[in-house]
Amino acid sequence: MSDNIPTGADATTTPAGADASNLENFRERRLAEIAALRASGVNPYPYRFDRTHTLGEIRAAHGALEAGTETSEVVAITGRVMLKRNQGKLMFLTVRDRSDEIQLFVSKSVVGDDSFDTIATLDLGDWVGASGTVMTTRKGELSVKTTEMQLLAKALRPMPDKWHGLSDVDTRFRQRYADLIVNADARRTFEVRHAVISSVRKTLGSRGYVEVETPVLHVEAGGAHARPFITHHNALDMQLYLRIALELHLKRLIVGGMERVYEIGRVFRNEGISTRHNPEFTMLESYQAFADYNDIMELTQDIIVNAARDALGATTLDIGGVACDLSAPWPRLRMVDLASAKVGRELHPSQPVADLRKVADDHGVKWEQRWGSGRIIEEIFAEKAEAELHMPTFVTGHPVEISPLARIDRNDPHLTERFELFVQARELANGFSELNDPIEQRERFEAEQRAKEAGDITAGTVDEDYLRALEFGMPPTGGLGIGIDRLTMLLAGVSTIREVILFPTLRPEVME
C-alpha cells in the first residue's frame, strides 16, 4: 500500500454498479482525452515499451531499503495505475504489474511543469511506463523517483471499486478481466492453478512419463460415461464428437510401446452446470505399462502431495476446519462396504437385482429399470456414503457393470480393480488396472452399446479401432485420471469450479 490512499474526492474512481448513463459520460470524457492526446501528436496506444525490471524484481532487490534512502539505480517499469493522489507539486501513483505493486514518486521539479500536468490527467486503470531511480519515502514506501512517464494504454471504462470489487458473482466470471484487476484472491487462485499444472508435469517427468497430445475430435465418444457434444466435419461429411475423455487414444500409445504417457487436456461433456461441473474442463490422464491400480494409487498421492508443496509451500490443508496432512497414508475402502454400512446389511453385485431394488426403495434411493445390481449399489453409495468422505479416501472395488474399461478384481469376479479418490465429498481422481483382454473388452463394449440403445445416453459404443489396437497386445497397465480443476479447488480453498476456470460457461448475457 502506498503512503497516500485516494479519498472519496478522487474523481478517477467509479463505484461498482454505476448506471449506464454515468458510464457513458465517463467514456465520453476519456474519449475526449484520447482525441486531445492524438491532436497533440501523442499516441495513446504506443507499440512497445522497453522495460528493464518487473516490480517484483525491484522489491526483491530493494525491499529492505531504509526509509528516506535514494539509490542511483535507474529502472524502467510498467504497470496499471491503481491509486493516484496529487499533493500540489508532488504526485503519488501506485502501479501494478503481474508481480507486485510499487509507488511512483513524481515531483514537478524533476519532470517539469508540462509533464507533471500531463501525468495529472492519468486515470485509474491506465497503463503507463515510467523511468527513474529506486528510492524509499520518509515513511519507508519503496518507490521509483520518476523522471519520465509514458501512457501505454488508455482505459475507457472505470475499474470496479478497489475495495468492493464486482458485487455480482455472475459478472465476476463473465468479466474475468475486470475481476482480475481488483480481486487479489482471483489472481492467487490462478497462480495456484499454474503451480499445480507445472508440478504435475514435473512429477510425471521425473518418473519417465512422456507428455503427448491426442485428438479432440473423435469418431467414437468413449473412455467415460458422459453425453458428448456433437459436431460435423464438412469436408469429410461426417459426424464427430468432442472428446469426453483422453483414455482410449492414450492406451493406443501404450500398445505402440511408449510405456509411460500422459496428457493434460480439455475434455467436453454435454451435461449440467454446478459448483462441481463445467461443460469443458481440464483432465490429467496418465498410463503406465507393467503397473496395476496399487501403483497408480501411490502415484496419485505423490502427484497431489507434490502439487500442494509446489503451489502452497506445505502439505497440510484445512479441510472443513480440520488440519489434513496430505502426506499421511490415505485409507482404502471398498464401495460395497461403504454402501453396506449405510443400509445395515451386506451388499454385493452378485445379489439378485430385485433384492437390491428393495434395499434402495427402503432407503429412499431412486433407481432405473435398466440398472443392474452393481449400478444400484453405486447409487446407494453416492446417495448415502459419498457426502461423508471429507478426508482423502481411496474408494475401491467398483462393480464390473459401472467400470467397462477396468480389469476384474483378481479376488472377486463381480468387482474391478478400480479406485476413485474422494476429498471434501468430491471425486478428485479415478484409476484402474486397465482391461487389456480384447475379447472381454468387446463384451463390455457390446454391453455398453445395448445400454445406449435402451436409452442410456451416457453409455459408450463399440470402438472397433480400439479393439483392433488391443489385439496387437497391450501389456499390463495402470491408468489414472485427475480433474485439474477440482485439484485446484482443493488447494486454493474455493468451493465452486467457476473460481478456478478463467472463463467458465455461463448463460448468454442479456445486453441492455
Side-chain angles (χ1 to χ4, degrees), residues 27-40:
R27 291 184 73 251
E28 288 299 325
R29 179 178 67 79
R30 292 197 176 185
L31 285 169
E33 292 174 4
I34 289 175
L37 287 169
R38 287 184 166 137
S40 66

Side-chain angles (χ1 to χ4, degrees), residues 358-367 383-384:
K358 184 177 187 308
V359 172
D361 289 339
D362 290 344
H363 291 85
V365 176
K366 295 181 179 179
W367 49 271
E383 290 291 325
K384 299 298 180 180

Side-chain angles (χ1 to χ4, degrees), residues 85-162:
R85 185 172 178 184
N86 194 327
Q87 287 190 327
K89 295 183 179 182
L90 292 177
M91 201 178 329
F92 300 89
L93 297 87
T94 297
V95 297
R96 188 178 72 214
D97 66 8
R98 73 172 184 173
S99 63
D100 213 323
E101 290 187 353
I102 277 183
Q103 179 174 266
L104 301 182
F105 179 93
V106 184
S107 170
K108 182 179 286 191
S109 64
V110 173
V111 299
D113 292 352
D114 292 343
S115 292
F116 191 86
D117 291 343
T118 300
I119 293 169
T121 66
L122 291 171
D123 292 297
L124 298 190
D126 290 349
W127 284 90
V128 298
S131 300
T133 54
V134 179
M135 62 168 286
T136 52
T137 64
R138 288 194 302 268
K139 294 184 179 180
E141 180 71 24
L142 184 63
S143 306
V144 173
K145 187 175 183 179
T146 304
T147 55
E148 293 182 74
M149 192 179 301
Q150 178 184 2
L151 176 66
L152 301 182
K154 187 70 182 173
L156 289 179
R157 289 178 176 265
M159 291 195 302
D161 182 276
K162 181 172 176 62

Side-chain angles (χ1 to χ4, degrees), residues 169-195:
V169 174
D170 188 72
T171 302
R172 282 189 54 232
F173 301 138
R174 193 181 303 282
Q175 298 180 26
R176 182 68 82 182
Y177 38 84
D179 183 40
L180 292 170
I181 291 172
V182 295
N183 187 345
D185 288 339
R187 295 194 298 274
R188 174 188 171 274
T189 294
F190 291 103
E191 289 167 359
V192 169
R193 184 185 179 101
H194 168 72

